[in-house]
Amino acid sequence: MTEETYNTYYYSDPTSSDINMHHLVIQSILKLDDLPWRWHAEKPDESMVDPIWDNKTNGWVENDSSSKTQIIANLQTKVETQAKQLEQMNKNQETSLTSISKNQAEMLKMMAPLLAKGGKTNA
């Protein structure tokens, strides 16, 4: 049985609002001499938080936090977080309403004998 070796390449779409597409690792059993567009053989520096390929410098650079794509990526993350929080709040509210309904039903059961007598006690 032969052990296959993989060649590692890095895809970078600096314009993508999906931060994962800024520096995506691609493994291939094929050695590519001519890399497809946005594919790179050089690994980004591990100290970078959000590396993107810069065509001007022909290398990896840190994505500017004030860039349009970084702002969009941050906003998307915030929206996803808020959506999850809203979903949890809705579940909590649903649970609370169910609990209130059960308590009201129990109170009505307890009050039923009193209401059947017209609200008068045995005197």
Side-chain angles (χ1 to χ4, degrees):
M1 188 163 96
T2 61
E3 185 177 316
E4 293 188 54
T5 57
Y6 291 94
N7 297 289
T8 304
Y9 301 100
Y10 303 90
Y11 174 82
S12 179
D13 181 358
T15 62
S16 177
S17 62
D18 182 355
I19 197 168
N20 296 313
M21 300 307 285
H22 291 176
H23 47 276
L24 181 68
V25 178
I26 300 172
Q27 300 241 319
S28 171
I29 56 172
L30 301 174
K31 174 137 178 65
L32 303 174
D33 294 324
D34 292 319
L35 294 176
W37 187 56
R38 295 191 172 169
W39 285 42
H40 311 284
E42 297 85 19
K43 180 179 181 178
D45 188 310
E46 292 190 21
S47 67
M48 293 183 183
V49 176
D50 183 19
I52 57 172
W53 186 265
D54 181 26
N55 289 329
K56 291 178 187 170
T57 62
N58 200 31
W60 293 99
V61 296
E62 186 67 65
N63 193 12
D64 182 5
S65 63
S66 63
S67 73
K68 200 175 356 176
T69 55
Q70 188 67 8
I71 291 169
I72 290 170
N74 290 338
L75 287 173
Q76 280 182 322
T77 301
K78 288 178 184 178
V79 167
E80 289 169 4
T81 301
Q82 288 177 345
K84 288 177 185 176
Q85 290 172 342
L86 185 58
E87 183 179 333
Q88 185 60 46
M89 286 172 51
N90 286 340
K91 285 180 183 178
N92 292 346
Q93 185 178 26
E94 190 176 305
T95 302
S96 295
L97 290 174
T98 301
S99 177
I100 289 169
S101 295
K102 286 180 181 179
N103 288 342
Q104 286 177 338
E106 288 297 318
M107 284 179 28
L108 286 173
K109 282 182 190 177
M110 291 173 27
M111 293 176 60
L114 182 61
L115 292 173
K117 296 180 183 177
K120 297 179 184 175
T121 58
N122 294 338

